[in-house]
Amino acid sequence: MSKYFQRGVSSKKEDVHNAIAELDKGLFLNSFCKILPDTISKSKNHYLLMHADGAGTKSALAYVYWKETNDLSVWEGIAQDAIVMNTDDLLCVGAVDDFVISSTIGRNQKKIPSQVIKSLIHGTESFLETLRSYGINIANSGGETADLGDLIRTIVVDSSIVGRIEKDKIIDNANISDGDVIVGLASFGQANYETQYNSGMGCNGLTSARHDLFNEKVRRKYPESFDQEIPSQLVYSGSHYLTDSIKEYQTDFGKFVLSPTRTYLPIVKSIFENIDRKKIHGIIHCTGGGQTKVLNFIDDLYIVKDNLFPTPKLFELIKSSSKSSMKEMYQVFNMGHRLEFYTDLDIAQQLIQISKSFSVDARIIGRVEKRHSKGLEIISEDGSVFYS
């Protein structure tokens, strides 16, 4: 049994998928997000989209870092996390514009004062302004802040988003096919629309990252930041403290892990403006499930990833500290790229060039082959791992 599972988290979320197995999956069964008829305006030329997600347990790390340093800016990053986990799922079905977003915050009022809420609200609007500066129309409808001290130890930061898209602009992963190449867009580095170096963390795997990197001093000082039922040997069992320096990146461990989740919206908007969408057969956001996410959207195809980015520093640190296998690392973390395009070889270089024009590295990281049953093989200098 993996440490991730023992901490109460599943990268595959089998129980959730089983619970919703009989629910209507929308108009496109293999699309990355549920797509609905436009029942509001009754337009026969549009679909409606809605999505909900959040910053997850990253807010627990933001809490302990803020308590330790009094640095409120980390909450602005959490606000961005909660938005990007929605917008960048919707871009996978082709929606890069005309969004309305709403925030939902649940807090323990005894632990989370008003200045934290104010920082979250400011961070939300600041990030939306950044998106608008790239021509992305996104409106903020406000939201709800609830005091739920009986339920929540510190704070939960979520958001939901509504979008509308023309029918001929849909990207449907059912079109992923034999012969496609996979173009991966890096999760690390510094995009020209980011203000600091991004470690590539995103919003998945934080339960593992927190407890495997940070030491028992965090456990002693901030018992409200974790589930008391987790086996004690799995709670903040690493060797680093929040403010330990990472000199090569001129930051500390806490801030490094708290890098705000990168949005790919400006890049993908430019891609759609310059490349025929019909040549893009599928887009995968490597969130829950990490590098294995694509398995949720294929049936009889074999995915080979044999040219991944060199493992970024953050994930090297987590692997070293956790002693996790590469098989588990690929299932939990994005490991260097968080967005994948499944496309024709003849436009792959155009995708790569557009991404690099935003200072986000990109490369062909693999290919698609026809098989009798689905599978994924990741080949690296560490060997080969297989998933089905």
Side-chain angles (χ1 to χ4, degrees):
M1 184 184 297
S2 74
K3 290 196 290 184
Y4 203 50
F5 187 82
Q6 292 179 72
R7 288 169 174 148
V9 186
S10 169
S11 62
K12 294 183 179 180
K13 297 192 285 190
E14 298 96 330
D15 54 341
V16 176
H17 291 298
N18 289 336
I20 64 174
E22 296 182 8
L23 292 180
D24 174 32
K25 293 178 173 57
L27 299 173
F28 295 82
L29 299 183
N30 288 78
S31 64
F32 201 85
C33 302
K34 190 172 181 177
I35 300 171
L36 303 168
D38 185 352
T39 56
I40 297 176
S41 72
K42 311 299 184 184
S43 170
K44 297 186 182 300
N45 298 316
H46 293 81
Y47 294 124
L48 293 182
L49 312 165
M50 186 169 183
H51 196 272
D53 209 333
T57 62
K58 200 170 187 178
S59 59
L61 179 59
Y63 170 81
V64 297
Y65 189 85
W66 162 68
K67 292 287 286 186
E68 187 70 17
T69 65
N70 203 34
D71 183 354
L72 281 166
S73 71
V74 294
W75 294 112
E76 297 192 13
I78 292 295
Q80 175 173 326
D81 294 321
I83 295 169
V84 174
M85 294 301 287
N86 285 287
T87 57
D88 286 38
D89 272 8
L90 289 191
L91 68 78
C92 291
V93 299
V96 292
D97 210 349
D98 298 331
F99 300 127
V100 179
I101 196 156
S102 176
S103 299
T104 304
I105 300 170
R107 66 166 177 168
N108 185 320
Q109 191 265 346
K110 292 181 179 179
K111 299 292 184 182
I112 304 295
S114 61
Q115 59 261 42
V116 170
I117 303 302
K118 184 176 181 180
S119 183
L120 286 165
I121 293 170
H122 179 269
T124 296
E125 194 53 43
S126 176
F127 181 64
L128 296 183
E129 279 299 321
T130 297
L131 294 181
R132 291 170 190 141
S133 72
Y134 284 88
I136 295 161
N137 179 31
I138 183 166
N140 184 0
S141 68
E144 165 72 2
T145 299
D147 291 338
L148 302 171
D150 283 345
L151 298 175
I152 295 173
R153 291 178 178 275
T154 55
I155 190 168
V156 174
V157 183
D158 293 329
S159 65
S160 55
I161 190 168
V162 176
R164 188 167 178 262
I165 186 172
E166 295 172 36
K167 287 186 174 181
D168 62 358
K169 291 184 176 180
I170 288 291
I171 302 292
D172 181 5
N173 289 327
N175 294 317
I176 295 174
S177 57
D178 177 30
D180 282 352
V181 297
I182 311 167
V183 175
L185 274 57
S187 60
F188 61 97
Q190 186 172 348
N192 59 18
Y193 49 84
E194 294 175 325
T195 60
Q196 59 190 0
Y197 183 88
N198 198 315
S199 68
M201 185 69 238
C203 260
N204 295 97
L206 265 298
T207 299
S208 178
R210 283 189 299 128
H211 291 301
D212 286 328
L213 279 178
F214 298 108
N215 63 25
E216 61 180 356
K217 185 178 176 183
V218 182
R219 178 176 62 198
R220 294 196 306 268
K221 292 187 71 173
Y222 306 108
E224 67 272 30
S225 71
F226 63 92
D227 177 5
Q228 302 293 319
E229 294 186 6
I230 298 175
S232 59
Q233 69 272 20
L234 299 179
V235 177
Y236 294 117
S237 54
S239 57
H240 304 286
Y241 196 58
L242 300 162
T243 52
D244 287 351
S245 175
I246 303 181
K247 292 182 179 179
E248 63 186 288
Y249 295 100
Q250 299 181 319
T251 189
D252 57 35
F253 271 82
K255 271 287 188 71
F256 201 56
V257 181
L258 283 166
S259 292
T261 306
R262 168 173 293 164
T263 181
Y264 295 97
L265 267 179
I267 301 172
V268 179
K269 183 176 175 64
S270 179
I271 285 171
F272 288 156
E273 289 170 348
N274 290 280
I275 292 176
D276 182 0
R277 289 183 186 228
K278 292 179 181 179
K279 290 182 173 289
I280 297 171
H281 303 149
I283 306 177
I284 301 295
H285 192 198
C286 301
T287 52
Q291 286 301 315
T292 71
K293 186 77 171 183
V294 65
L295 289 173
N296 295 330
F297 303 96
I298 58 171
D299 295 313
D300 55 354
L301 296 171
Y302 193 79
I303 309 297
V304 179
K305 298 183 180 181
D306 56 2
N307 189 39
L308 299 183
F309 290 95
T311 303
K313 177 72 172 182
L314 172 64
F315 303 117
E316 287 182 348
L317 290 168
I318 293 171
K319 184 180 186 303
S320 175
S321 188
S322 66
K323 305 297 190 292
S324 296
S325 67
M326 287 305 296
K327 185 162 190 173
E328 184 172 1
M329 292 292 294
Y330 288 129
Q331 284 181 303
V332 174
F333 302 103
N334 68 68
M335 297 299 284
H337 77 267
R338 225 185 63 247
L339 199 69
E340 296 175 343
F341 284 83
Y342 289 74
T343 188
D344 296 334
L345 179 61
D346 63 353
I347 68 161
Q349 288 305 316
Q350 286 179 264
L351 291 173
I352 291 169
Q353 289 168 8
I354 291 172
S355 183
K356 288 185 175 182
S357 75
F358 288 86
S359 299
V360 172
D361 203 1
R363 60 165 63 183
I364 294 175
I365 58 95
R367 62 189 182 275
V368 181
E369 299 176 355
K370 184 71 174 178
R371 298 285 177 95
H372 295 297
S373 59
K374 72 178 179 181
L376 164 66
E377 186 176 8
I378 298 177
I379 304 168
S380 71
E381 60 184 16
D382 297 300
S384 176
V385 291
F386 174 76
Y387 309 86
S388 60

Coordinates of all heavy atoms in Angstrom, one line a residue, residues 63-139:
Y63 N -1.0 27.7 4.8 CA -1.3 28.1 6.2 C -0.1 28.1 7.1 O 0.2 29.0 7.8 CB -2.4 27.2 6.8 CG -2.7 27.3 8.3 CD1 -3.4 28.4 8.8 CD2 -2.1 26.4 9.2 CE1 -3.6 28.5 10.1 CE2 -2.3 26.6 10.5 CZ -3.1 27.6 11.0 OH -3.2 27.8 12.4
V64 N 0.6 26.9 7.1 CA 1.8 26.8 8.0 C 2.9 27.8 7.6 O 3.6 28.3 8.5 CB 2.3 25.4 8.1 CG1 1.2 24.5 8.7 CG2 2.8 24.8 6.8
Y65 N 3.0 28.0 6.3 CA 4.1 29.0 5.9 C 3.7 30.4 6.3 O 4.6 31.1 6.8 CB 4.3 28.9 4.3 CG 5.5 29.7 3.9 CD1 6.7 29.1 3.9 CD2 5.3 31.0 3.4 CE1 7.8 29.8 3.5 CE2 6.4 31.7 3.0 CZ 7.7 31.1 3.0 OH 8.8 31.8 2.6
W66 N 2.4 30.7 6.1 CA 2.0 32.1 6.6 C 2.2 32.3 8.1 O 2.6 33.3 8.5 CB 0.5 32.3 6.1 CG -0.1 33.4 6.9 CD1 0.1 34.7 6.8 CD2 -1.2 33.2 7.8 NE1 -0.7 35.4 7.6 CE2 -1.5 34.5 8.3 CE3 -1.9 32.1 8.3 CZ2 -2.6 34.7 9.2 CZ3 -2.9 32.3 9.3 CH2 -3.2 33.6 9.7
K67 N 1.8 31.2 8.8 CA 1.9 31.3 10.3 C 3.4 31.5 10.7 O 3.7 32.2 11.6 CB 1.4 30.1 11.0 CG -0.1 29.9 10.9 CD -0.9 30.9 11.8 CE -0.8 30.5 13.2 NZ -1.6 31.4 14.1
E68 N 4.3 30.8 10.0 CA 5.7 30.9 10.3 C 6.4 32.2 9.9 O 7.3 32.7 10.6 CB 6.4 29.7 9.6 CG 7.9 29.5 10.0 CD 8.0 29.0 11.4 OE1 7.0 28.5 12.0 OE2 9.2 29.1 11.9
T69 N 5.9 32.7 8.7 CA 6.6 33.9 8.2 C 5.8 35.2 8.1 O 6.4 36.3 7.9 CB 7.1 33.6 6.7 OG1 5.9 33.4 5.9 CG2 7.9 32.3 6.6
N70 N 4.5 35.1 8.3 CA 3.6 36.2 8.2 C 3.6 36.8 6.8 O 3.2 37.9 6.6 CB 4.0 37.3 9.2 CG 2.8 38.3 9.5 OD1 1.7 37.8 9.5 ND2 3.1 39.5 9.7
D71 N 3.9 35.9 5.8 CA 3.9 36.3 4.4 C 2.5 36.0 3.8 O 2.2 34.9 3.5 CB 5.0 35.5 3.7 CG 5.1 35.9 2.2 OD1 4.3 36.7 1.7 OD2 6.0 35.4 1.5
L72 N 1.7 37.1 3.7 CA 0.4 36.9 3.2 C 0.3 36.6 1.6 O -0.7 36.2 1.1 CB -0.5 38.2 3.4 CG -1.0 38.3 4.9 CD1 -1.5 39.7 5.1 CD2 -2.2 37.3 5.1
S73 N 1.4 36.9 1.0 CA 1.4 36.7 -0.5 C 1.1 35.3 -0.9 O 0.7 35.0 -2.0 CB 2.7 37.2 -1.1 OG 3.8 36.3 -0.8
V74 N 1.4 34.3 -0.1 CA 1.2 32.9 -0.4 C -0.3 32.6 -0.7 O -0.7 31.8 -1.5 CB 1.8 31.9 0.6 CG1 3.3 32.0 0.7 CG2 1.1 32.2 2.0
W75 N -1.1 33.4 0.0 CA -2.6 33.2 -0.2 C -3.0 33.7 -1.6 O -4.0 33.2 -2.2 CB -3.4 34.0 0.9 CG -3.1 33.4 2.2 CD1 -2.5 33.9 3.3 CD2 -3.5 32.0 2.7 NE1 -2.5 33.0 4.3 CE2 -3.1 31.9 4.0 CE3 -4.2 31.0 2.1 CZ2 -3.3 30.7 4.7 CZ3 -4.5 29.8 2.8 CH2 -4.0 29.7 4.1
E76 N -2.3 34.7 -2.2 CA -2.6 35.1 -3.5 C -2.3 34.0 -4.5 O -3.0 33.8 -5.5 CB -1.9 36.4 -3.9 CG -2.2 37.6 -3.0 CD -1.7 38.9 -3.5 OE1 -1.3 38.9 -4.7 OE2 -1.8 39.9 -2.8
G77 N -1.3 33.2 -4.2 CA -0.9 32.1 -5.0 C -2.0 31.0 -4.9 O -2.3 30.3 -5.9
I78 N -2.6 30.8 -3.7 CA -3.6 29.8 -3.5 C -4.9 30.2 -4.3 O -5.5 29.4 -4.9 CB -4.0 29.7 -2.0 CG1 -2.8 29.0 -1.3 CG2 -5.2 28.9 -1.8 CD1 -2.5 27.6 -1.7
A79 N -5.2 31.5 -4.4 CA -6.3 32.0 -5.2 C -6.1 31.6 -6.6 O -7.0 31.2 -7.3 CB -6.5 33.5 -5.0
Q80 N -4.8 31.8 -7.1 CA -4.5 31.5 -8.5 C -4.7 29.9 -8.7 O -5.2 29.5 -9.7 CB -3.1 31.9 -8.9 CG -2.7 31.4 -10.2 CD -1.3 32.0 -10.7 OE1 -1.0 33.2 -10.3 NE2 -0.5 31.3 -11.4
D81 N -4.2 29.2 -7.8 CA -4.3 27.7 -7.9 C -5.8 27.3 -8.1 O -6.1 26.5 -9.0 CB -3.8 27.0 -6.6 CG -2.3 27.2 -6.3 OD1 -1.6 27.2 -7.3 OD2 -1.9 27.4 -5.2
A82 N -6.7 27.9 -7.3 CA -8.1 27.5 -7.3 C -8.7 27.8 -8.7 O -9.6 27.1 -9.1 CB -8.8 28.1 -6.2
I83 N -8.2 28.9 -9.3 CA -8.8 29.3 -10.6 C -8.2 28.4 -11.7 O -8.9 27.9 -12.6 CB -8.4 30.8 -10.9 CG1 -9.2 31.7 -9.9 CG2 -8.8 31.1 -12.3 CD1 -8.7 33.1 -9.9
V84 N -6.9 28.2 -11.7 CA -6.2 27.5 -12.8 C -6.7 26.1 -12.9 O -6.8 25.5 -14.0 CB -4.7 27.6 -12.7 CG1 -4.0 26.7 -13.7 CG2 -4.2 29.0 -12.8
M85 N -7.0 25.4 -11.8 CA -7.4 24.1 -11.8 C -8.8 23.9 -12.5 O -9.2 22.8 -12.9 CB -7.5 23.5 -10.4 CG -6.1 23.4 -9.7 SD -5.0 22.3 -10.6 CE -5.7 20.7 -10.2
N86 N -9.5 25.0 -12.7 CA -10.7 25.1 -13.5 C -10.4 25.5 -14.9 O -10.8 24.8 -15.9 CB -11.7 26.0 -12.8 CG -12.3 25.4 -11.6 OD1 -13.2 24.5 -11.7 ND2 -11.9 25.9 -10.4
T87 N -9.8 26.6 -15.1 CA -9.6 27.2 -16.5 C -8.8 26.2 -17.3 O -9.1 26.0 -18.5 CB -8.9 28.5 -16.4 OG1 -7.6 28.4 -15.8 CG2 -9.7 29.6 -15.7
D88 N -7.8 25.6 -16.8 CA -6.9 24.8 -17.6 C -7.5 23.4 -17.8 O -6.9 22.6 -18.6 CB -5.5 24.7 -17.0 CG -4.8 26.1 -17.2 OD1 -5.5 27.1 -17.1 OD2 -3.6 26.1 -17.5
D89 N -8.5 23.0 -17.1 CA -9.3 21.8 -17.5 C -10.2 22.2 -18.6 O -10.3 21.4 -19.6 CB -10.1 21.3 -16.3 CG -9.4 20.3 -15.4 OD1 -8.2 20.1 -15.6 OD2 -10.0 19.7 -14.5
L90 N -10.8 23.3 -18.6 CA -11.7 23.7 -19.7 C -11.0 24.0 -21.0 O -11.6 23.7 -22.1 CB -12.6 24.9 -19.3 CG -13.6 24.8 -18.2 CD1 -14.5 26.0 -18.2 CD2 -14.5 23.5 -18.5
L91 N -9.8 24.4 -21.0 CA -9.1 24.6 -22.2 C -8.8 23.3 -22.9 O -8.6 23.3 -24.2 CB -7.8 25.4 -22.0 CG -6.6 24.8 -21.3 CD1 -5.8 23.8 -22.1 CD2 -5.6 25.9 -20.8
C92 N -8.9 22.2 -22.2 CA -8.7 20.9 -22.8 C -9.8 20.5 -23.7 O -9.7 19.6 -24.6 CB -8.5 19.8 -21.8 SG -7.0 20.0 -20.8
V93 N -11.0 21.2 -23.6 CA -12.1 20.9 -24.6 C -12.2 22.1 -25.6 O -13.1 22.1 -26.4 CB -13.4 20.7 -23.8 CG1 -13.4 19.5 -22.9 CG2 -13.9 22.0 -23.1
G94 N -11.2 23.0 -25.5 CA -11.2 24.1 -26.5 C -11.7 25.4 -26.1 O -11.7 26.4 -26.8
A95 N -12.0 25.6 -24.8 CA -12.5 26.8 -24.3 C -11.4 27.7 -23.7 O -10.8 27.2 -22.7 CB -13.6 26.6 -23.2
V96 N -11.2 28.8 -24.2 CA -10.1 29.7 -23.7 C -10.6 31.1 -23.5 O -9.8 32.0 -23.2 CB -8.9 29.7 -24.7 CG1 -8.2 28.4 -24.8 CG2 -9.3 30.2 -26.1
D97 N -11.9 31.3 -23.5 CA -12.4 32.7 -23.4 C -13.9 32.6 -22.9 O -14.5 31.5 -22.9 CB -12.3 33.3 -24.7 CG -12.2 34.8 -24.6 OD1 -12.3 35.4 -23.5 OD2 -11.9 35.5 -25.7
D98 N -14.4 33.8 -22.5 CA -15.8 33.9 -22.1 C -16.2 33.0 -20.9 O -17.0 32.1 -21.1 CB -16.7 33.7 -23.3 CG -16.5 34.7 -24.5 OD1 -16.1 35.8 -24.2 OD2 -16.7 34.3 -25.6
F99 N -15.5 33.3 -19.8 CA -15.8 32.5 -18.6 C -16.4 33.4 -17.5 O -16.1 34.6 -17.5 CB -14.4 32.0 -18.0 CG -13.7 31.1 -18.9 CD1 -12.3 31.3 -19.2 CD2 -14.3 29.9 -19.5 CE1 -11.6 30.5 -20.0 CE2 -13.6 29.1 -20.3 CZ -12.2 29.3 -20.5
V100 N -17.1 32.8 -16.6 CA -17.6 33.4 -15.4 C -17.1 32.5 -14.2 O -17.4 31.3 -14.2 CB -19.1 33.6 -15.3 CG1 -19.5 34.3 -14.0 CG2 -19.6 34.5 -16.5
I101 N -16.4 33.1 -13.2 CA -15.9 32.3 -12.1 C -16.5 32.8 -10.8 O -16.8 33.9 -10.6 CB -14.4 32.4 -12.1 CG1 -13.8 31.3 -11.3 CG2 -13.9 33.8 -11.7 CD1 -12.4 30.9 -11.6
S102 N -16.6 31.8 -9.9 CA -17.1 32.1 -8.6 C -16.3 31.3 -7.6 O -15.9 30.2 -7.8 CB -18.6 31.6 -8.4 OG -19.1 31.7 -7.1
S103 N -15.9 32.0 -6.5 CA -15.1 31.4 -5.5 C -15.9 30.9 -4.3 O -16.8 31.6 -3.9 CB -14.0 32.4 -5.0 OG -13.2 32.9 -6.1
T104 N -15.4 29.8 -3.7 CA -16.1 29.3 -2.5 C -15.0 29.0 -1.4 O -14.0 28.2 -1.7 CB -16.8 28.0 -2.7 OG1 -17.8 28.2 -3.8 CG2 -17.5 27.5 -1.5
I105 N -15.0 29.7 -0.3 CA -14.0 29.6 0.7 C -14.7 29.1 2.0 O -15.7 29.7 2.5 CB -13.3 30.9 1.0 CG1 -12.6 31.4 -0.2 CG2 -12.3 30.8 2.2 CD1 -12.1 32.9 -0.1
G106 N -14.2 28.0 2.5 CA -14.6 27.5 3.8 C -13.5 27.6 4.8 O -12.4 27.2 4.5
R107 N -13.7 28.3 6.0 CA -12.6 28.5 6.9 C -13.0 28.2 8.3 O -14.2 28.2 8.7 CB -12.2 30.0 6.8 CG -13.2 30.9 7.4 CD -12.7 32.3 7.6 NE -13.7 33.2 8.1 CZ -13.5 34.4 8.6 NH1 -12.3 34.9 8.7 NH2 -14.6 35.2 8.9
N108 N -12.0 28.0 9.1 CA -12.1 27.9 10.6 C -11.8 29.4 11.0 O -10.6 29.8 11.0 CB -11.1 26.9 11.2 CG -11.3 26.8 12.7 OD1 -11.5 27.7 13.4 ND2 -11.2 25.5 13.1
Q109 N -12.8 30.1 11.4 CA -12.6 31.5 11.7 C -11.6 31.8 12.9 O -11.0 32.8 12.9 CB -14.0 32.1 12.1 CG -14.0 33.7 12.1 CD -13.8 34.2 13.6 OE1 -13.9 33.4 14.5 NE2 -13.5 35.4 13.7
K110 N -11.4 30.8 13.7 CA -10.5 30.9 14.8 C -9.0 30.9 14.3 O -8.1 31.3 15.0 CB -10.7 29.9 15.9 CG -12.0 30.0 16.6 CD -12.2 28.9 17.7 CE -13.5 29.1 18.4 NZ -13.7 28.0 19.5
K111 N -8.8 30.3 13.2 CA -7.5 30.1 12.7 C -7.2 31.1 11.5 O -6.0 31.4 11.2 CB -7.3 28.7 12.2 CG -7.4 27.6 13.3 CD -6.3 27.7 14.3 CE -6.3 26.6 15.3 NZ -5.3 26.7 16.3
I112 N -8.2 31.4 10.8 CA -8.1 32.2 9.5 C -8.8 33.6 9.7 O -10.0 33.7 9.6 CB -8.7 31.5 8.3 CG1 -8.1 30.1 8.2 CG2 -8.5 32.3 7.1 CD1 -6.6 30.1 7.9
P113 N -8.0 34.6 9.9 CA -8.5 36.0 10.1 C -8.9 36.6 8.8 O -8.6 36.1 7.7 CB -7.4 36.7 10.8 CG -6.2 36.1 10.3 CD -6.5 34.6 10.1
S114 N -9.5 37.8 8.9 CA -10.0 38.5 7.7 C -8.9 38.9 6.7 O -9.2 39.0 5.5 CB -10.8 39.8 8.2 OG -9.9 40.7 8.9
Q115 N -7.7 39.2 7.2 CA -6.6 39.6 6.3 C -6.3 38.5 5.3 O -5.8 38.8 4.2 CB -5.4 40.1 7.0 CG -4.7 39.1 8.0 CD -5.1 39.4 9.4 OE1 -6.3 39.6 9.7 NE2 -4.1 39.3 10.3
V116 N -6.4 37.2 5.7 CA -6.2 36.1 4.8 C -7.3 36.1 3.7 O -7.0 36.0 2.5 CB -6.2 34.8 5.6 CG1 -6.2 33.6 4.6 CG2 -5.0 34.7 6.5
I117 N -8.5 36.3 4.1 CA -9.6 36.4 3.1 C -9.4 37.5 2.2 O -9.6 37.4 1.0 CB -11.0 36.5 3.8 CG1 -11.2 35.4 4.9 CG2 -12.1 36.6 2.8 CD1 -11.2 34.0 4.2
K118 N -9.0 38.7 2.7 CA -8.7 39.8 1.9 C -7.6 39.5 0.9 O -7.7 39.9 -0.3 CB -8.3 41.0 2.7 CG -8.1 42.3 1.9 CD -7.8 43.5 2.9 CE -7.6 44.8 2.1 NZ -7.3 45.9 3.0
S119 N -6.6 38.8 1.3 CA -5.5 38.5 0.4 C -5.9 37.5 -0.7 O -5.5 37.6 -1.9 CB -4.3 37.8 1.2 OG -3.2 37.5 0.3
L120 N -6.8 36.6 -0.4 CA -7.4 35.6 -1.3 C -8.2 36.4 -2.4 O -8.1 36.1 -3.6 CB -8.2 34.6 -0.7 CG -7.5 33.5 0.1 CD1 -8.4 32.7 1.0 CD2 -6.8 32.5 -0.8
I121 N -9.0 37.3 -1.9 CA -9.8 38.1 -2.8 C -9.0 38.9 -3.8 O -9.2 39.0 -5.0 CB -10.8 39.0 -2.1 CG1 -11.9 38.1 -1.3 CG2 -11.6 39.9 -3.0 CD1 -12.7 38.8 -0.3
H122 N -8.0 39.6 -3.2 CA -7.1 40.4 -4.0 C -6.3 39.5 -5.0 O -6.1 39.9 -6.2 CB -6.1 41.1 -3.1 CG -5.1 42.0 -3.9 ND1 -3.9 41.5 -4.3 CD2 -5.2 43.3 -4.3 CE1 -3.2 42.4 -5.0 NE2 -4.0 43.5 -5.0
G123 N -5.9 38.4 -4.6 CA -5.2 37.5 -5.5 C -6.0 37.0 -6.6 O -5.5 36.9 -7.8
T124 N -7.3 36.7 -6.3 CA -8.2 36.3 -7.4 C -8.3 37.4 -8.5 O -8.2 37.2 -9.7 CB -9.6 36.1 -6.8 OG1 -9.5 34.9 -5.9 CG2 -10.6 35.8 -7.9
E125 N -8.6 38.6 -8.0 CA -8.8 39.7 -9.0 C -7.5 40.1 -9.7 O -7.5 40.4 -10.9 CB -9.4 41.0 -8.3 CG -9.9 42.0 -9.3 CD -10.9 41.4 -10.3 OE1 -11.8 40.6 -9.9 OE2 -10.9 41.8 -11.5
S126 N -6.4 40.0 -9.0 CA -5.1 40.3 -9.7 C -4.8 39.3 -10.8 O -4.3 39.6 -11.9 CB -4.0 40.3 -8.6 OG -2.7 40.5 -9.2
F127 N -5.0 38.0 -10.5 CA -4.8 37.0 -11.5 C -5.7 37.1 -12.7 O -5.3 36.9 -13.8 CB -4.9 35.6 -10.9 CG -4.6 34.5 -11.9 CD1 -3.4 34.3 -12.4 CD2 -5.6 33.6 -12.2 CE1 -3.1 33.3 -13.4 CE2 -5.4 32.6 -13.1 CZ -4.1 32.4 -13.7
L128 N -7.0 37.4 -12.4 CA -7.9 37.6 -13.5 C -7.5 38.8 -14.4 O -7.7 38.7 -15.6 CB -9.3 37.8 -13.0 CG -10.0 36.7 -12.2 CD1 -11.4 37.0 -11.8 CD2 -10.0 35.4 -13.0
E129 N -7.0 39.8 -13.8 CA -6.5 41.0 -14.6 C -5.3 40.5 -15.5 O -5.2 41.0 -16.6 CB -6.0 42.1 -13.7 CG -7.2 43.0 -13.2 CD -7.9 43.6 -14.3 OE1 -7.3 44.1 -15.3 OE2 -9.2 43.7 -14.3
T130 N -4.5 39.7 -15.0 CA -3.4 39.2 -15.8 C -3.9 38.4 -17.0 O -3.5 38.6 -18.2 CB -2.5 38.2 -15.0 OG1 -1.8 38.9 -14.0 CG2 -1.4 37.6 -15.9
L131 N -4.9 37.6 -16.8 CA -5.6 36.8 -17.9 C -6.2 37.8 -18.9 O -6.1 37.6 -20.1 CB -6.6 35.9 -17.4 CG -6.1 34.7 -16.6 CD1 -7.2 33.8 -16.1 CD2 -5.0 33.9 -17.3
R132 N -6.9 38.8 -18.4 CA -7.5 39.8 -19.3 C -6.5 40.5 -20.1 O -6.8 40.9 -21.3 CB -8.4 40.8 -18.4 CG -9.6 40.1 -17.8 CD -10.2 41.1 -16.8 NE -11.2 40.4 -16.0 CZ -11.4 40.6 -14.7 NH1 -10.7 41.5 -14.0 NH2 -12.4 39.9 -14.0
S133 N -5.3 40.8 -19.6 CA -4.3 41.5 -20.4 C -3.8 40.7 -21.6 O -3.2 41.2 -22.5 CB -3.1 41.8 -19.5 OG -2.3 40.6 -19.1
Y134 N -4.1 39.4 -21.6 CA -3.8 38.5 -22.7 C -5.1 38.2 -23.6 O -5.1 37.3 -24.4 CB -3.2 37.2 -22.3 CG -1.8 37.4 -21.9 CD1 -1.4 37.7 -20.5 CD2 -0.7 37.2 -22.8 CE1 -0.1 37.9 -20.2 CE2 0.6 37.4 -22.4 CZ 0.9 37.8 -21.1 OH 2.2 38.0 -20.7
G135 N -6.1 39.1 -23.4 CA -7.3 39.0 -24.2 C -8.3 37.9 -23.8 O -9.1 37.5 -24.6
I136 N -8.1 37.4 -22.6 CA -9.0 36.4 -22.1 C -10.2 37.0 -21.3 O -9.9 37.6 -20.3 CB -8.2 35.4 -21.3 CG1 -7.2 34.6 -22.1 CG2 -9.2 34.4 -20.6 CD1 -6.1 34.0 -21.4
N137 N -11.4 36.9 -21.8 CA -12.5 37.5 -21.2 C -13.0 36.6 -20.1 O -13.5 35.5 -20.3 CB -13.7 37.7 -22.2 CG -14.9 38.3 -21.6 OD1 -14.8 39.0 -20.7 ND2 -16.1 37.9 -22.2
I138 N -12.8 37.0 -18.8 CA -13.2 36.2 -17.7 C -13.8 37.2 -16.6 O -13.1 38.1 -16.2 CB -12.0 35.4 -17.1 CG1 -12.5 34.5 -16.0 CG2 -10.8 36.2 -16.8 CD1 -11.4 33.4 -15.6
A139 N -15.0 36.9 -16.2 CA -15.7 37.8 -15.2 C -15.7 37.1 -13.8 O -15.8 35.9 -13.7 CB -17.1 38.1 -15.7

